[in-house]
Structures are given as C-alpha cells and as structure tokens.
C-alpha cells in the first residue's frame, strides 16, 4: 500500500448513489469527514431517480482524482493518529497471539488487539 493512494477511488469516482448516499449522510450526521471531502472534491452533482418519488431520490456527487489526497491531508491532521510507510519483516508472537511487528526500519511496534497493518493481509 502506498500512502499516496490512501482512499483511492475507481475510475468513475462518486460519493453517493442510492446505498452509498444514505451511508454518507449517516456518517456526516455522526461528525464524519466523508461529506466534507465530497464537498471539497465534487466536480459534478446530480440527483438520481428524479422520475420516482422523493423517497427514492439520491444525491450523487462525482469527485475529482484528488479525493485520496484530500483524505490523506484530513486524516494526517487528526490527533493521536500517525501514518508511516514501512515493510513488515516479522510478526511478533507471544503465547500464540500476535503482539506486534518488526519493520524494515528496525522498529518493533506493539499492537493493540484491534490494529493490524495492511501488510499482514
């Protein structure tokens, strides 16, 4: 995983649609960044299903290729969150449980149970 490709979208990047649009609105209501990033990177906006009733209408903003850069900038500004790019050389195990990783830079990183680097998958 290249950190410059964090949150990279497909060749037809849109944040919205019938299902995703609902999730984006819920994330936004909870204070998430998805709507903010969409607002910063939208180049075209359309409303889907306008021929149906209002309950079926769904906003779909088409976004630019800079979505991944905007996400990286936003996430790097969070307190208590650090990003670094390295190679995992070894998985540290204690009592048959993963406890951390040893990286190419020689760092031994202890992990919380919920955290696993992308390199492990």
């Amino acid at each position: 995983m290249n950190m410059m490709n964090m949150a990279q979208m497909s060749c037809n990047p849109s944040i919205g649609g019938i299902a995703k649009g609902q999730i984006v609105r819920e994330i936004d209501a909870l204070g998430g960044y998805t709507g903010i990033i969409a607002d910063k990177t939208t180049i075209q906006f359309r409303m889907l299903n306008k021929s149906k009733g209002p309950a079926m209408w769904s906003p779909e903003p088409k976004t630019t290729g800079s979505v991944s850069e905007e996400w990286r900038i936003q996430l790097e500004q969070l307190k208590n969150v650090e990003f670094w790019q390295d190679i995992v050389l070894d998985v540290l195990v204690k009592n048959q449980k993963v406890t951390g990783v040893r990286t190419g830079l020689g760092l031994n990183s202890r992990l919380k149970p919920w955290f696993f680097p992308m390199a492990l998958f």
Side-chain angles (χ1 to χ4, degrees), residues 3 7 9 16 18 22 32 34-35 44 47 58 65 69 76-79 81 94 99 102 105 113 116:
M3 283 180 40
M9 296 178 69
I18 297 170
Q22 179 63 35
T34 304
Q44 177 188 359
M47 188 67 73
S58 182
E69 182 180 353
E76 285 176 344
Q77 293 175 7
L78 295 174
K79 293 180 181 178
V81 176
K94 184 176 182 180
T99 61
R102 185 173 56 84
L105 294 174
F116 292 97

Side-chain angles (χ1 to χ4, degrees), residues 59-79:
E60 182 189 51
K62 297 282 185 186
T63 57
T64 66
S66 65
V67 170
S68 60
E69 182 180 353
E70 286 294 333
W71 265 114
R72 185 180 52 77
I73 291 167
Q74 188 72 45
L75 294 173
E76 285 176 344
Q77 293 175 7
L78 295 174
K79 293 180 181 178

Side-chain angles (χ1 to χ4, degrees), residues 35-50:
I36 295 167
I37 300 298
D39 288 345
K40 288 182 178 180
T41 59
T42 295
I43 55 174
Q44 177 188 359
F45 181 87
R46 65 185 186 152
M47 188 67 73
L48 302 176
N49 298 324
K50 281 291 281 184

